[in-house]
Amino acid sequence: VLDTLSTASKSVNCRFEKRFFVFDGPGDLGEMAADLDDDGEQTVSINEYLESIEEEELEADLVLGGDEGDECTYSKGYMKRQAIFSCLTCTPEGNAGICTACCLSCHDGHEVLELWTKRNFRCDCGNSKFREFSCKLSPNKDVENVENSYNHNFKGLYCTCNRPYPDPDLQEQEEMIQCCMCEDWFHEEHISLGSPNEIPRDEEGEPLYEDFICKACSAVCSFLTLYPKTIRATGKQPVASVATGKDKSVLEDIPPKDEPGKLDNDVCSDTVQNNLVADMNHDSVSDDKKFVVGESSQNNDSSSLSQSIANSNGTCILGVDWMAASIDSESRPLFLSKNWRDVLCRCDKCLDMYKQKHISYLLDKEDSIAEYEKTAKQKREEKLQKREGAELNFFNNLGHIEKMEILNGIADFKDEFRSFLGSVDPSKAITAADVNQIFENLKNKRRR
């Protein structure tokens, strides 16, 4: 039906009253709205409406990671990343999280908060935090998920200002950015930058960074300041080549050599750079391939190459004892460029350090939001292809009479809709009453 609407509208300049459709679900025409604001100026074209539906479906799939919400994820254990919700009706203290399926099946009609995604989380629905409430999908659960981590987001509060989102005291909601470590959300004006203009964006306002680390979390990963500053995103995305190609420079923005032993928050020492360059010239990367820090995270070639660089030998690519190095003690928020995780050192010493700090997830590519959304898009494509195949199989398995009834029904709808478009005034909006009349005419025709 939606395809028919899209095709028919291309030849007619018609517009609909905004919010005139009411959908029971994505892609379902559902029922028509009966009581709408009689406001002819708030209109939307059919193509615009169909595009908005497609965008909403894609956004939902990206948030849910392609999860169909048909089974509780508890049996999968502590998942690397999944969409999590907090039910304030059942746990007003905000100390529990539930998966998509439980949100839909067990907490329908409750006050539920969408928390986007959380790492290393296991569904709490029905455990001891819910008292007498039992999970309908997976009732046999441990009393508590001891490895789960909770913050004030589960109470509907965010940022250092500890305010809700949307904020009822603000007429215009401010944009927020999520820290990739603590996973809290921060208002741009509260992330301790001199100005929101310092946030790396292109001319159209799109982010030029892959991950953000808040001021508090940056103290935990102060060792990042020992890496070349090209892992940090700036107003203009860095494109620093660290490769063996003859026409590529190695580590652009190399600091002056007048203080070779000094390390600060903006530059790395010659020792660090020389060791990193030497490591990149190792035999494992001598095939003239190129790795560019800051390129798209979708570039699998550069990603796999950087992995081999970081794992090429047991020597620390930093080449310094970062515990004893002179690091700027003042923590500050960090904006990190694309593929920054791929250049992190994976020597035994650094691996032990990540473990002690409980940040080993930084080495896991599947932990990143970019990878999570990439997987969601793949699942979406597979789902759409499967849906089309199922519909075709369903139709092919019908008898001849059933097939003819369906085809005649589609033809009747097209004829009725084209007839309506031919009689409508293009300067006027199509109302809910008009659409109801179309379907009423179809019903009457079917009775005859």
Side-chain angles (χ1 to χ4, degrees):
V1 172
L2 293 179
D3 288 340
T4 301
L5 290 173
S6 179
T7 302
S9 68
K10 291 179 181 178
S11 60
V12 181
N13 182 25
C14 63
R15 301 184 70 82
F16 287 86
E17 282 190 357
K18 202 170 187 179
R19 303 182 306 277
F20 114 94
F21 285 122
V22 174
F23 278 70
D24 292 330
D28 182 13
L29 188 60
E31 297 178 354
M32 302 303 156
D35 50 339
L36 295 171
D37 296 336
D38 188 16
D39 186 356
E41 294 184 358
Q42 293 188 11
T43 62
V44 58
S45 71
I46 296 178
N47 285 337
E48 290 170 345
Y49 183 78
L50 296 178
E51 288 174 1
S52 69
I53 291 296
E54 177 69 19
E55 291 174 359
E56 289 175 3
E57 287 187 359
L58 176 58
E59 182 179 354
D61 281 339
L62 292 180
V63 172
L64 301 179
D67 185 0
E68 296 286 345
D70 50 3
E71 61 177 331
C72 177
T73 60
Y74 180 81
S75 61
K76 299 179 181 179
Y78 294 91
M79 296 180 63
K80 290 183 178 181
R81 185 167 292 283
Q82 66 171 315
I84 291 297
F85 303 81
S86 175
C87 181
L88 296 184
T89 301
C90 297
T91 56
E93 59 274 22
N95 64 340
I98 58 177
C99 68
T100 302
C102 288
C103 174
L104 297 174
S105 299
C106 306
H107 301 268
D108 183 31
H110 293 190
E111 183 182 359
V112 176
L113 300 175
E114 178 188 325
L115 303 181
W116 201 23
T117 71
K118 296 292 181 183
R119 70 164 58 88
N120 193 38
F121 203 94
R122 197 174 194 185
C123 181
D124 286 321
C125 180
N127 66 14
S128 61
K129 297 183 177 183
F130 290 78
R131 299 180 179 85
E132 293 81 15
F133 184 89
S134 178
C135 178
K136 298 177 182 178
L137 302 178
S138 182
N140 298 320
K141 295 181 178 179
D142 291 340
V143 175
E144 185 177 355
N145 296 317
V146 294
E147 294 184 30
N148 280 358
S149 177
Y150 312 90
N151 61 11
H152 63 168
N153 294 171
F154 288 78
K155 298 179 181 179
L157 304 175
Y158 307 88
C159 190
T160 55
C161 61
N162 212 39
R163 295 291 300 167
Y165 186 90
D167 193 329
D169 294 336
L170 295 178
Q171 291 184 348
E172 185 174 349
Q173 300 303 318
E174 300 177 22
E175 186 172 345
M176 303 185 79
I177 303 175
Q178 187 184 40
C179 173
C180 71
M181 296 187 70
C182 67
E183 299 187 304
D184 194 4
W185 293 82
F186 298 86
H187 295 103
E188 292 182 0
E189 62 181 22
H190 296 157
I191 58 178
S192 300
L193 290 176
S195 166
N197 294 330
E198 295 182 34
I199 299 174
R201 291 195 175 97
D202 61 19
E203 296 178 354
E204 297 180 354
E206 295 299 318
L208 287 172
Y209 57 91
E210 181 172 277
D211 283 316
F212 161 72
I213 297 179
C214 70
K215 181 178 180 180
C217 291
S218 66
V220 179
C221 53
S222 57
F223 61 89
L224 289 177
T225 62
L226 299 179
Y227 284 87
K229 66 178 182 179
T230 45
I231 74 167
R232 290 183 289 264
T234 58
K236 184 177 181 181
Q237 185 74 340
V239 183
S241 300
V242 284
T244 58
K246 61 181 180 180
D247 294 328
K248 295 290 186 177
S249 60
V250 177
L251 292 177
E252 292 179 12
D253 298 325
I254 292 178
K257 296 184 178 181
D258 53 349
E259 296 181 85
K262 182 179 179 181
L263 294 171
D264 59 31
N265 195 59
D266 296 319
V267 297
C268 61
S269 70
D270 287 340
T271 303
V272 174
Q273 294 169 4
N274 291 338
N275 277 276
L276 184 57
V277 172
D279 188 65
M280 290 172 180
N281 283 321
H282 191 265
D283 292 341
S284 63
V285 291
S286 60
D287 57 354
D288 292 331
K289 290 185 179 179
K290 300 177 179 65
F291 169 60
V292 181
V293 178
E295 286 187 346
S296 171
S297 60
Q298 305 297 329
N299 190 329
N300 293 328
D301 290 338
S302 62
S303 176
S304 60
L305 177 60
S306 56
Q307 289 281 357
S308 65
I309 289 173
N311 290 294
S312 59
N313 56 51
T315 304
C316 182
I317 64 175
L318 293 177
V320 296
D321 184 355
W322 70 269
M323 292 289 289
S326 175
I327 301 177
D328 192 344
S329 59
E330 181 184 356
S331 61
R332 62 193 68 181
L334 298 174
F335 289 92
L336 300 158
S337 59
K338 307 284 178 71
N339 286 333
W340 70 276
R341 297 178 186 233
D342 294 343
V343 298
L344 295 180
C345 181
R346 287 164 172 78
C347 72
D348 293 340
K349 183 177 180 180
C350 286
L351 289 176
D352 186 57
M353 178 267 293
Y354 301 139
K355 186 175 181 180
Q356 290 181 24
K357 288 177 171 287
H358 305 288
I359 56 175
S360 296
Y361 56 81
L362 294 180
L363 302 178
D364 186 358
K365 189 172 183 178
E366 293 183 11
D367 175 78
S368 69
I369 294 296
E371 191 68 18
Y372 178 82
E373 293 187 343
K374 178 182 177 181
T375 301
K377 290 179 180 178
Q378 292 174 343
K379 289 182 178 179
R380 175 177 172 78
E381 290 299 322
E382 294 172 358
K383 179 177 65 176
L384 293 177
Q385 292 176 4
K386 184 177 180 180
R387 180 190 301 171
E388 292 175 0
E391 293 169 352
L392 183 60
N393 288 335
F394 171 78
F395 184 78
N396 290 336
N397 290 329
L398 292 176
H400 177 73
I401 296 177
E402 289 85 354
K403 288 181 180 179
M404 292 305 300
E405 287 182 347
I406 291 177
L407 294 175
N408 288 335
I410 294 175
D412 289 344
F413 176 81
K414 287 182 177 180
D415 291 342
E416 183 67 30
F417 192 64
R418 287 196 184 100
S419 175
F420 171 77
L421 293 179
S423 62
V424 71
D425 184 352
S427 64
K428 295 183 179 180
I430 298 172
T431 66
D434 294 329
V435 177
N436 284 328
Q437 186 60 51
I438 292 175
F439 284 93
E440 187 63 31
N441 292 342
L442 287 171
K443 289 180 181 180
N444 293 334
K445 183 177 181 179
R446 192 169 184 81
R447 292 192 190 100
R448 292 196 299 269

